Amino acid sequence: DARVTQTPRDKVTEMGQEVTMRCQPILGHNTVFWYRQTMMQGLELLAYFRNRAPLDDSGMPKDRFSAEMPDATLATLKIQPSEPRDSAVYFCASGLDLAYEQYFGPGTRLTVT
Amino acid sequence: QKEVEQNSGPLSVPEGAIASLNCTYSDRGSQSFFWYRQYSGKSPELIMSIYSNGDKEDGRFTAQLNKASQYVSLLIRDSQPSDSATYLCAVKGDMRFGAGTRLTVKP
């Protein structure tokens, strides 16, 4: 069945290293969302795309985070340089369009030491 | 800042009881509303979507929407221990989620 996939599932890295997370949305979905979840902050919206165009990235720290969609089957979230406070679970979700439900991937658990 | 707010919880109900989860939102222009369930260590999964005022039922779940009051709720009838999870309210237009309400159903 159709699912959102994310890689890697777990990532442990040292402070200052670059981290790249990847997401493959469900085929045919034209919206992609990136969220970050921590115990303290809950589920935070970082950025989202429609038809590969970024619509809002106001939730991201601009100096270190970047999100792109090189093509319709791949979305990436990069952190450079990473910091311990970036430790969280990062979820990607996709949907048919902005007004409709989103389906979440399994998440990438990031630990920055 | 547009907001989505939920009962702080945690909410505990006995098995077989009705669990009531509530959510308010600030953006009057919101048109789509969703309830997600998230088990510990897992990703959120969609339970219900609702777009019009009134009730929408799906099995043991009923979503209720009142746009005038900017309020959406989720009722879980005949609660089961397997319903124990965190329930997240999401409001579109905003793409934002509430903080979630942790529900525990005790056998």
Side-chain angles (χ1 to χ4, degrees):
Chain A
D1 63 323
R3 298 186 184 188
V4 176
T5 58
Q6 290 186 246
T7 57
R9 294 293 303 276
D10 281 281
K11 176 72 176 179
V12 180
T13 191
E14 293 183 347
M15 182 173 62
Q17 297 298 305
E18 177 178 304
V19 176
T20 298
M21 291 169 269
R22 294 177 174 82
C23 167
Q24 181 172 16
I26 293 172
L27 189 64
H29 283 188
N30 73 349
T31 55
V32 174
F33 306 83
W34 283 105
Y35 292 90
R36 174 172 65 183
Q37 188 173 43
T38 61
M39 289 293 292
M40 294 300 295
Q41 298 296 327
L43 199 59
E44 299 175 272
L45 177 65
L46 296 176
Y48 62 96
F49 296 77
R50 184 173 186 265
N51 293 328
R52 296 176 54 201
L55 292 189
D56 187 349
D57 62 1
S58 60
M60 292 199 312
K62 299 288 193 305
D63 56 338
R64 299 185 300 108
F65 284 58
S66 63
E68 297 179 344
M69 281 201 72
D71 61 60
T73 64
L74 177 65
T76 62
L77 180 66
K78 292 185 180 181
I79 307 174
Q80 169 64 21
S82 57
E83 297 181 1
R85 60 179 167 155
D86 301 329
S87 297
V89 179
Y90 290 80
F91 288 108
C92 173
S94 71
L96 277 175
D97 209 330
L98 293 176
Y100 300 101
E101 59 269 17
Q102 305 167 27
Y103 295 89
F104 282 76
T108 294
R109 181 175 298 277
L110 173 65
T111 303
V112 184
T113 60
Chain B
Q1 174 74 23
K2 297 176 181 177
E3 291 185 354
V4 179
E5 303 211 8
Q6 296 184 240
N7 295 12
S8 58
L11 176 65
S12 180
V13 300
E15 184 175 355
I18 295 175
S20 177
L21 304 159
N22 303 311
C23 175
T24 58
Y25 59 95
S26 61
D27 182 8
R28 284 193 170 274
S30 300
Q31 296 294 320
S32 313
F33 307 86
F34 307 93
W35 283 99
Y36 287 79
R37 177 177 61 199
Q38 186 175 24
Y39 291 115
S40 181
K42 302 294 185 183
S43 56
E45 59 177 323
L46 180 72
I47 301 175
M48 296 277 289
S49 57
I50 186 166
Y51 302 93
S52 305
N53 277 330
D55 295 359
K56 179 181 178 182
E57 188 174 315
D58 183 0
R60 296 185 296 110
F61 298 95
T62 299
Q64 299 174 318
L65 175 60
N66 184 326
K67 291 185 179 180
S69 299
Q70 295 175 242
Y71 175 95
V72 57
S73 65
L74 180 70
L75 300 177
I76 307 174
R77 290 182 302 281
D78 188 23
S79 297
Q80 301 296 309
S82 58
D83 295 326
S84 298
T86 297
Y87 289 81
L88 299 162
C89 170
V91 175
K92 279 303 184 79
D94 229 356
M95 320 301 167
R96 300 190 190 274
F97 282 76
T101 299
R102 184 170 184 83
L103 171 66
T104 300
V105 181
K106 296 187 175 181

